[in-house]
Structure formats: C-alpha cells, structure tokens
Amino acid sequence: NPWLTGRLVKTKSGTRLRHPASPSTSDIDSLFTATSAEDAAAFKLTPSSPYTEMCTNMYVSKKVIVGKGYAILDKDERVAILTISESTPGNFALIFSISHVIGDGRTYYE
C-alpha cells in the first residue's frame, strides 16, 4: 500500500497524505527499522513484561511509535514504522506502528 510510505502535509485545501504513486525500494526500506537489545532494554521489551507496561515504555522511548498527526505534520516523519526488536538473546518482537490517518481510511477520505 503506497500510503504506508507517505508523509502528512498541510496544503491550501487542508491536511493531506502525500505519497508516491509507485513507491521505490528506498521508500519501502524507510518503513523498516531495527533495535538492538540495548535499545529494547530502554523500553523493557521482554516476553514476560505486562502488555500495558510495554506499551507505556515504547511511547516514552519514542523510538518505535509513530508520532501523533500534529507532531508529524509537514515533517519528514513516517506514518508507519515496522520495527524488529531484539528483546532477549535469541528472541525478538515485531512492532508495527501506524498512524490512524491511514489505518482508518475514513479519516484520509474526509
């Protein structure tokens, strides 16, 4: 979906999602990121951590969560981030964060 590679921009007609019609490999590669065990430790990402605690810590770290619409508007900030994060040696987590602007297509079309 090309929307995943877009950026939020303000135009004369309102806020829009600007995205390439046919994303390049570079556009798609920009969706992916990885964290090391040291980064993951900053937000306590382990299989035994309570879900709400992990979510809170990921938001606080600001490394793997898409920013709010107003925070990413007119900036080179992604509307989707896919992160592979080592949690403990030999284990990893796949974290997918997506802005509601594209996750709920209705917002985009209004």
Side-chain angles (χ1 to χ4, degrees), residues 1-91:
N1 184 331
W3 290 4
L4 296 176
T5 62
R7 304 293 190 270
L8 291 179
V9 295
K10 190 167 197 143
T11 67
K12 290 180 182 179
S13 57
T15 301
R16 299 288 183 251
L17 179 66
R18 182 168 293 146
H19 61 84
S22 296
S24 67
T25 300
S26 176
D27 292 325
I28 295 168
D29 286 347
S30 76
L31 294 172
F32 296 91
T33 187
T35 63
S36 66
E38 293 79 30
D39 291 332
F43 46 82
K44 299 180 182 117
L45 187 64
T46 65
S48 61
S49 296
Y51 177 75
T52 54
E53 181 181 313
M54 283 192 299
C55 291
T56 299
N57 290 329
M58 283 189 287
Y59 274 97
V60 169
S61 79
K62 300 181 182 185
K63 292 182 179 221
V64 298
I65 303 294
V66 170
K68 294 183 179 190
Y70 64 84
I72 64 175
L73 182 63
D74 286 328
K75 296 180 182 165
D76 189 24
E77 296 283 337
R78 297 173 284 186
V79 294
I81 302 172
L82 185 62
T83 305
I84 296 175
S85 180
E86 183 179 357
S87 60
T88 57
N91 292 304

Side-chain angles (χ1 to χ4, degrees), residues 91-102:
N91 292 304
F92 70 93
L94 181 61
I95 305 163
F96 187 59
S97 178
I98 187 169
S99 170
H100 79 89
V101 173
I102 56 172

